[in-house]
Amino acid sequence: MCCRSNIWKFGSTIALGITIIALAVSWSTAVHSDPASGRANERDETLAPSVKFAPAAVATGSSAIRRPAETAGWPEGFSRLLSNTSGTDFTNAMYSTAVGDLDRDGFLEIFALRSDGYIYGFDCYGGDLPGFPLDLVALAGFTNEHNTTGHIVALGDLDGNGVQEIVAGVRLLDIPESRMFVLDMYGNVYDWWPKQGVPAVKILKSTPTIWDLDQDGLCEIIFGSGDVPAASYLYVLKHDGVTLNGNFPLVFPGSFNTSSSVAVGDLDEDNYEEIIFLGGDFQVHAINHQDASEVPGWPVAVSGFRNSVAVGDVNGDGNLEVVVVEDNSSPGQVTVLNADGSVLPGWPQTFPGTGDHAGSPSLVDLDDDGGMEILFGGRDWVNIFRADGTLFPGWPQAVDTLASSSIISSNVTVADVNGDGIKEVLYVEHGPLLYVWSRDGYMLEPFPMDFSQPPLVTNCWSTPVIADMQSDGDVDLVLTFFHMGALGHPEDHIAEVTVVDLAYDYQPEWRDWVTFHRDHRHTGAVPLDSSTPVTEPPPASLVPVLILAQNHPNPFNPHTTLTYFLPEAGHVSLSIFDVRGRLIARLIDRQETAGRHMAVWNGQNRYGRAMPAGTYFARLVMGPQVCTCKMILTR
């Protein structure tokens, strides 16, 4: 688990034909507060969030829209503007982020995928993680940068060592082939993963789900894909890229254009989770992992949808139900299915607007009555239904859809963000406007927030992520946006990752559905024991391990950075050796604290003389633990 070969690149799609009169706009790269600066000001906990706002814009509907001011003044928030490096005329769209404490230092990292095939990694203050960004298209061996696409990154401990891995894939529309990669937090492909990725799918269409289906302590990677002209596939890969039990992929006839991610849940009560998935035949399937057979009563035909199902005990009867938002119906329709595939009494129900722009459902017990409410966005509305099919009091709520906002890709997230003991509902309209409502439908101040960047056209396809990024006790919201200039001017297409710090006390037990498909593994499931919050495992529960990441860049000339993780405080040494084992330089030889550290080698020996091109080794020692890394110096 020391040195690993470096690689990566991911993509995600969409070419929107939107032309505006572009103004020559120059963007800076990173704007974030210095982690050492600490909190800028004390605050009154009873007041609204300590985020600075410009004067309210023209009122839209019943609420005045407020725009966030420059984020440089925010104590803990940040914004990263990511320029179009590929030079292609794409929107550089970014989907929802995945956040997790991969280095186990008590702070969360952010991973986001862009539609030109780059994956980004940021620390909790907006700085680039070592090894990122990564060009996954190049890593996959592709040369065509056009029509690159991909989906959201997932996090999970695949190999059972207590450290989360990064799972993501990339595909090209012009080349019907995709790649799936498993990386560490430094962008290195693991030794046990196929070095060129798994050429498993024709067209990758869904976000991966990470779950230990066979309960052997090693997680599987579950995802859907499609093919032309008409077929869809369900893949289940073991942690090392081998197909589970040799029974996958499953092939479903019909439309290949499904982007449904899978959910997991034990429908037949055999103590193993089943895979709940929409096939290209527009049927909801419930698949046993052992032999890829259907659970009795399944599949169930629906009118069609491209969104993900959700699984939970909706009516509080001690059994799981499956929730489906159908998007080929007008008006829209939502259905709840029992574990045996039958329709739950009171369903289906229709909702305002057309179903073709509805989001995936989120399941949360808003009123703490033991049942789950069903929350999802539509083109013009956010809807909340009770388990019996009736609307939750105060809902639906209208959103201010702009003329260009014909696509709804955001999903609803829920948590108690203001510390009043009552859950709030969060949603980002495509426009993009960030809404935060009370469970009764009242808008919290100072929302909605407008993240547009005139004269560019700003869009959002991301689900808000709720977390405490810096472990400062505040609620943070992680969002992604993309800003488009005129067609033919790719330099004006800018992606953005933003963290909004809200001055409200953060409590992990108040979290319910905090990201796309509920959690960082995208299970889409609320277990029967739903009292367990969506939380990251505390660092103390993980197995202490010394980590030395692959140097970056590699090959290098003349400088390279070595990143390492110390499981505890202690004396550490980091030295450079040549291929004959001779000591070249000693970079570190001192007492250091636990957590992530970095050191730079300038290609010189301990006497300050430049070393010739060749192979060198970095050696990290802490007590009995030793890690090594091979490096290539060029001249």
Side-chain angles (χ1 to χ4, degrees):
M1 142 138 235
C2 298
C3 179
R4 300 157 193 153
S5 57
N6 191 6
I7 353 187
W8 239 112
K9 145 123 205 216
F10 191 96
S12 110
T13 184
I14 253 129
L16 290 178
I18 299 177
T19 303
I20 65 171
I21 299 175
L23 183 70
V25 177
S26 169
W27 296 89
S28 61
T29 51
V31 184
H32 63 278
S33 60
D34 184 355
S37 64
R39 306 179 64 84
N41 298 293
E42 294 299 320
R43 65 180 187 278
D44 184 347
E45 299 290 354
T46 65
L47 299 179
S50 63
V51 180
K52 298 181 179 180
F53 294 94
V58 177
T60 302
S62 60
S63 302
I65 298 175
R66 300 174 182 268
R67 300 176 185 274
E70 283 296 325
T71 57
W74 296 2
E76 291 90 9
F78 68 81
S79 179
R80 286 294 307 269
L81 298 175
L82 310 171
S83 61
N84 186 347
T85 56
S86 66
T88 57
D89 203 359
F90 287 110
T91 60
N92 284 322
M94 299 193 80
Y95 289 89
S96 298
T97 59
V99 299
D101 185 8
L102 271 66
D103 62 0
R104 305 171 303 168
D105 62 355
F107 303 96
L108 299 181
E109 292 79 48
I110 303 171
F111 300 94
L113 299 168
R114 198 166 70 171
S115 61
D116 63 354
Y118 281 81
I119 181 171
Y120 288 82
F122 305 111
D123 63 27
C124 65
Y125 295 99
D128 290 318
L129 292 176
F132 292 92
L134 281 172
D135 182 353
L136 292 185
V137 169
L139 184 60
F142 295 143
T143 58
N144 186 354
E145 291 281 349
H146 293 283
N147 291 323
T148 304
T149 186
H151 290 76
I152 307 169
V153 62
L155 304 178
D157 179 12
L158 295 179
D159 56 1
N161 69 346
V163 178
Q164 293 178 340
E165 283 78 48
I166 306 165
V167 180
V170 64
R171 69 179 175 95
L172 297 182
L173 291 180
D174 295 346
I175 303 174
E177 192 170 302
S178 302
R179 294 287 188 272
M180 186 72 73
F181 292 101
V182 176
L183 313 172
D184 67 11
M185 70 162 295
Y186 305 105
N188 304 312
V189 175
Y190 279 88
D191 293 337
W192 36 260
W193 189 258
K195 293 306 174 191
Q196 302 224 324
V198 176
V201 298
K202 294 295 184 181
I203 301 176
L204 183 64
K205 294 295 292 184
S206 73
T207 299
T209 297
I210 312 300
W211 194 254
D212 184 6
L213 291 171
D214 55 6
Q215 301 178 18
D216 64 350
L218 305 173
C219 284
E220 282 73 48
I221 304 169
I222 317 160
F223 57 94
S225 69
D227 197 358
V228 178
S232 62
Y233 303 82
L234 173 62
Y235 282 87
V236 181
L237 302 178
K238 294 177 68 66
H239 81 284
D240 56 2
V242 176
T243 299
L244 180 65
N245 297 333
N247 295 317
F248 296 91
L250 296 182
V251 182
F252 304 98
S255 172
F256 76 95
N257 190 26
T258 173
S259 56
S260 169
S261 297
V262 307
V264 295
D266 184 10
L267 298 182
D268 58 7
E269 299 181 348
D270 64 351
N271 295 320
Y272 287 95
E273 282 77 12
E274 284 74 52
I275 304 165
I276 300 94
F277 176 73
L278 170 72
D281 52 0
F282 291 111
Q283 297 189 87
V284 182
H285 298 265
I287 306 296
N288 291 298
H289 79 274
Q290 298 93 332
D291 57 3
S293 63
E294 294 272 7
V295 173
W298 300 82
V300 176
V302 294
S303 65
F305 64 101
R306 293 184 297 273
N307 300 304
S308 306
V309 299
V311 178
D313 184 5
V314 173
N315 59 1
D317 64 353
N319 299 306
L320 293 179
E321 285 80 39
V322 177
V323 181
V324 183
V325 177
E326 304 183 42
D327 68 2
N328 278 2
S329 59
S330 185
Q333 181 170 286
V334 56
T335 301
V336 180
L337 303 172
N338 288 305
D340 61 2
S342 62
V343 178
L344 190 70
W347 301 91
Q349 292 291 334
T350 59
F351 53 86
T354 58
D356 61 328
H357 296 292
S360 301
S362 303
L363 305 182
V364 175
D365 185 3
L366 282 179
D367 52 9
D368 300 317
D369 66 351
M372 297 287 172
E373 276 65 51
I374 300 167
L375 305 88
F376 58 93
R379 170 178 276 181
D380 305 305
W381 303 86
V382 172
N383 304 275
I384 302 181
F385 284 90
R386 291 184 181 275
D388 61 2
T390 60
L391 284 168
F392 197 80
W395 298 85
Q397 287 291 326
V399 294
D400 297 309
T401 305
L402 303 181
S404 62
S405 303
S406 60
I407 300 174
I408 296 296
S409 296
S410 178
N411 299 300
V412 177
T413 51
V414 176
D416 179 8
V417 298
N418 63 358
D420 63 356
I422 301 174
K423 303 177 181 71
E424 279 75 46
V425 178
L426 292 83
Y427 181 76
V428 181
E429 183 270 332
H430 184 63
L433 304 175
L434 170 63
Y435 294 86
V436 180
W437 292 279
S438 72
R439 70 181 182 187
D440 299 321
Y442 296 102
M443 186 75 65
L444 269 66
E445 286 290 339
F447 300 96
M449 292 170 57
D450 184 353
F451 288 85
S452 60
Q453 295 278 3
L456 302 182
V457 176
T458 301
N459 294 282
C460 178
W461 294 338
S462 74
T463 299
V465 177
I466 305 166
D468 180 7
M469 296 299 302
Q470 298 99 356
S471 295
D472 60 359
D474 284 354
V475 176
D476 298 313
L477 306 181
V478 187
L479 304 166
T480 63
F481 306 96
F482 58 98
H483 313 287
M484 301 184 304
L487 293 178
H489 293 274
E491 68 277 5
D492 289 338
H493 302 328
I494 309 294
E496 180 179 0
V497 176
T498 294
V499 171
V500 179
D501 179 275
L502 303 181
Y504 289 133
D505 284 342
Y506 174 89
Q507 298 292 337
E509 63 268 22
W510 294 343
R511 296 191 292 172
D512 287 82
W513 196 288
V514 297
T515 187
F516 170 75
H517 233 198
R518 186 175 187 254
D519 52 35
H520 59 269
R521 293 182 292 178
H522 303 140
T523 60
V526 180
L528 290 173
D529 180 15
S530 58
S531 60
T532 303
V534 184
T535 57
E536 295 289 339
S541 68
L542 300 177
V543 179
V545 62
L546 185 70
I547 299 174
L548 174 62
Q550 183 69 49
N551 63 303
H552 182 79
N554 190 44
F556 67 96
N557 179 21
H559 300 88
T560 190
T561 299
L562 290 153
T563 302
Y564 55 97
F565 172 84
L566 306 182
E568 57 187 2
H571 188 274
V572 61
S573 68
L574 178 61
S575 305
I576 310 298
F577 297 85
D578 64 14
V579 293
R580 297 175 61 182
R582 295 177 296 189
L583 177 65
I584 302 300
R586 180 167 283 116
L587 305 182
I588 301 294
D589 188 13
R590 61 181 179 233
Q591 191 83 5
E592 289 195 331
T593 59
R596 185 172 69 240
H597 301 268
M598 291 187 291
V600 176
W601 184 41
N602 60 6
Q604 299 177 1
N605 65 12
R606 49 188 163 172
Y607 305 111
R609 297 172 184 166
M611 298 302 297
T615 300
Y616 295 87
F617 294 88
R619 186 171 185 263
L620 179 69
V621 179
M622 185 178 188
Q625 301 185 72
V626 179
C627 289
T628 60
C629 180
K630 184 168 73 173
M631 308 177 294
I632 306 297
L633 172 62
T634 61
R635 294 294 186 187

